[in-house]
Amino acid sequence: MRFLRDALITIVVLVLVLGGFAYVKVRGGGFSTTDQPGQLEKTLARRLVRLSVPDAARTSRNPYAADGDAWHEAADHFNDHCAGCHGRDGRGKTEVGENMYPPVPDLADTAVQQMGDGDIFFVIQNGVRWTGMPAWKHEHTPDETWKLVAFVRHVPSLTAEENRHPPEHSNGAHPYR
């Protein structure tokens, strides 16, 4: 019941704010993705992402959380599927990432790192509407996605050395290039 109330309040506030925002923007020169989102827009976007993740998903725990090496296995996958927008280091400093609206988040940022494992898993699997984040559940197995969650958790401590010279898998292959 609380979820429905919160969702309804959020939708009403969002419609009012976006309506006012759209009116002001269009009258003042239009919409442009070259402008940085304001604080209100950022807050609303975070709220919408939070509301889009079901409670059951939010409480999910990463089965690889205790495996300090799980991120290694996801690094190659991250490089192939995610680095184009998020960058090899997960900081979003790419031509694509910086020119998206909203900009691609820095995965080391506190706002991302404070998300639960289940939230991150859900976002990777299902994407985020009205952003450039696609759904990957038809491309990633749940195990691959959980290992990507482990990679996201490792991003704040990813060293330049790990980024330049990735550790090798037991079969001798580099987990990312």
Side-chain angles (χ1 to χ4, degrees):
M1 189 59 136
R2 183 176 155 256
F3 173 79
L4 274 151
R5 184 198 64 187
D6 286 353
L8 183 60
I9 290 169
T10 300
I11 290 169
V12 168
V13 168
L14 181 64
V15 166
L16 291 173
V17 169
L18 287 178
F21 179 74
Y23 178 78
V24 169
K25 281 298 239 181
V26 169
R27 299 289 294 167
F31 290 106
S32 172
T33 62
T34 60
D35 297 330
Q36 290 297 312
Q39 190 58 44
L40 177 62
E41 198 173 348
K42 289 178 187 177
T43 301
L44 287 172
R46 279 193 291 272
R47 177 79 172 167
L48 287 173
V49 169
R50 188 178 149 266
L51 285 172
S52 71
V53 178
D55 286 338
R58 181 170 285 117
T59 59
S60 299
R61 299 288 177 240
N62 188 347
Y64 297 100
D67 181 353
D69 291 327
W71 74 270
H72 292 269
E73 295 179 43
D76 189 41
H77 196 89
F78 183 88
N79 194 43
D80 288 343
H81 290 83
C82 314
C85 294
H86 290 281
R88 279 177 48 135
D89 64 356
R91 304 295 177 134
K93 302 295 182 205
T94 67
E95 186 175 350
V96 173
E98 290 180 329
N99 286 298
M100 294 189 72
Y101 194 83
V104 171
D106 175 349
L107 299 179
D109 187 79
T110 305
V112 173
Q113 291 297 317
Q114 287 179 343
M115 292 173 69
D117 289 347
D119 294 294
I120 296 170
F121 179 90
F122 188 86
V123 166
I124 295 168
Q125 287 280 288
N126 297 285
V128 180
R129 288 184 184 214
W130 303 302
T131 73
M133 180 63 190
W136 289 104
K137 68 180 164 188
H138 298 298
E139 301 289 327
H140 296 172
T141 66
D143 276 347
E144 288 171 328
T145 301
W146 282 122
K147 289 174 184 175
L148 284 168
V149 172
F151 183 87
V152 170
R153 294 293 188 220
H154 186 72
V155 165
S157 62
L158 187 67
T159 66
E161 184 65 20
E162 288 171 331
N163 213 12
R164 274 194 309 275
H165 303 289
E168 294 185 1
H169 282 298
S170 58
N171 66 2
H174 285 292
Y176 58 95
R177 298 175 179 115

